[in-house]
Amino acid sequence: MALSLDGYPDLIDYTETIRSTAHVMVPNALRWTTRDLNAMPDDGGWKRYEIIDGDLYVTRAPHIRHQGAAGKLHVRLETWSEQTGLGSAFQAPGVIFSPTDAVIPDVVWISRDRLANGIDEVGHLTVAPELIVEVLSPGDLNEQRDKEVKLKLYSLHGVQEYWIVSWQRQTLEIYRRTETQLQLFGTLLAGDTLTSPLLPGFSTPVATIF
């Protein structure tokens, strides 16, 4: 839905820089909320708007290799889900944790029980998926967002497992919940096989993701 951006001068100024960078955090004296997202322009999916702790993050459409890695993981997770009936995988869903925390992860997997009561009227997830996958985009700011800002967010809201994928390095970092925090469990290389205690029987060679 494309609406007027009156009252959001910072957004207008900063989105102009997206042509040369994959990630922009828009400063604002006020905390952004999910209500503000309704005023974001509909540009056909070229930009992604996320709010984390009241800060607005704007990213452009990712590299095709980024999309390829996310798509392959989504297909493998959804195939396993259809075979087991234990849940569902979604690619780039809206996930609303709170009025000031709303993100669009590359891939999520959510159990059937959580999904049954975790969708709002417009199709956003309103509960934490058990598994979230983010694929890194080039640049230090993008890596900081996924490895620090989003890691903290997902820890806070009860995500059980978090995968950070680098198509450039062909690695996959696995973070698993230990008590109240997501902690780095290990880093898989192209020759390794990806499995998870969340997904009994799920297995895929890391090399095939890239």
Side-chain angles (χ1 to χ4, degrees):
M1 175 171 60
L3 300 176
S4 169
L5 293 182
D6 292 343
Y8 300 97
D10 289 330
L11 178 61
I12 296 170
D13 293 339
Y14 275 76
T15 49
E16 290 302 315
T17 67
I18 294 174
R19 295 171 185 167
S20 60
T21 182
H23 162 272
V24 174
M25 188 179 78
V26 179
N28 196 353
L30 301 176
R31 286 165 63 83
W32 294 78
T33 71
T34 53
R35 184 177 179 181
D36 296 320
L37 291 181
N38 293 327
M40 297 298 104
D42 183 356
D43 59 3
W46 285 100
K47 298 186 187 77
R48 181 179 294 183
Y49 301 94
E50 299 179 295
I51 297 172
I52 303 175
D53 194 24
D55 291 326
L56 177 65
Y57 292 79
V58 185
T59 54
R60 65 184 178 186
H63 193 287
I64 194 168
R65 299 295 184 189
H66 177 133
Q67 296 180 59
K72 289 176 182 178
L73 274 172
H74 172 252
V75 168
R76 284 156 177 73
L77 287 167
E78 183 58 18
T79 298
W80 175 87
S81 298
E82 290 176 350
Q83 293 171 347
T84 62
L86 295 179
S88 296
F90 298 96
Q91 192 166 3
V95 182
I96 299 175
F97 293 112
S98 75
T100 55
D101 293 298
V103 293
I104 307 175
D106 288 305
V107 182
V108 307
W109 182 85
I110 184 169
S111 65
R112 184 174 54 189
D113 291 342
R114 286 198 188 190
L115 185 61
N117 298 301
I119 307 175
D120 67 14
E121 64 277 5
V122 293
H124 300 133
L125 292 175
T126 56
V127 296
E130 282 88 346
L131 169 66
I132 289 183
V133 183
E134 297 284 7
V135 181
L136 293 176
S137 291
D140 292 341
L141 288 175
N142 291 304
E143 190 158 332
Q144 180 184 26
R145 183 193 66 237
D146 288 343
K147 288 191 172 185
E148 297 178 23
V149 180
K150 285 192 171 181
L151 175 61
K152 180 180 178 181
L153 176 71
Y154 298 154
S155 287
L156 179 64
H157 289 284
V159 173
Q160 297 299 304
E161 193 158 328
Y162 179 33
W163 300 347
I164 299 179
V165 179
S166 172
W167 59 266
Q168 302 99 320
R169 304 184 189 104
Q170 297 198 358
T171 61
L172 190 152
E173 294 181 3
I174 298 175
Y175 293 81
R176 289 180 181 157
R177 181 163 293 278
T178 302
E179 297 180 354
T180 61
Q181 288 188 328
L182 289 167
Q183 302 280 356
L184 181 62
F185 175 79
T187 301
L188 302 184
L189 306 178
D192 295 323
T193 298
L194 174 62
T195 61
S196 170
L198 279 177
L199 313 169
F202 174 84
S203 175
T204 190
V206 172
T208 65
I209 297 169
F210 309 109

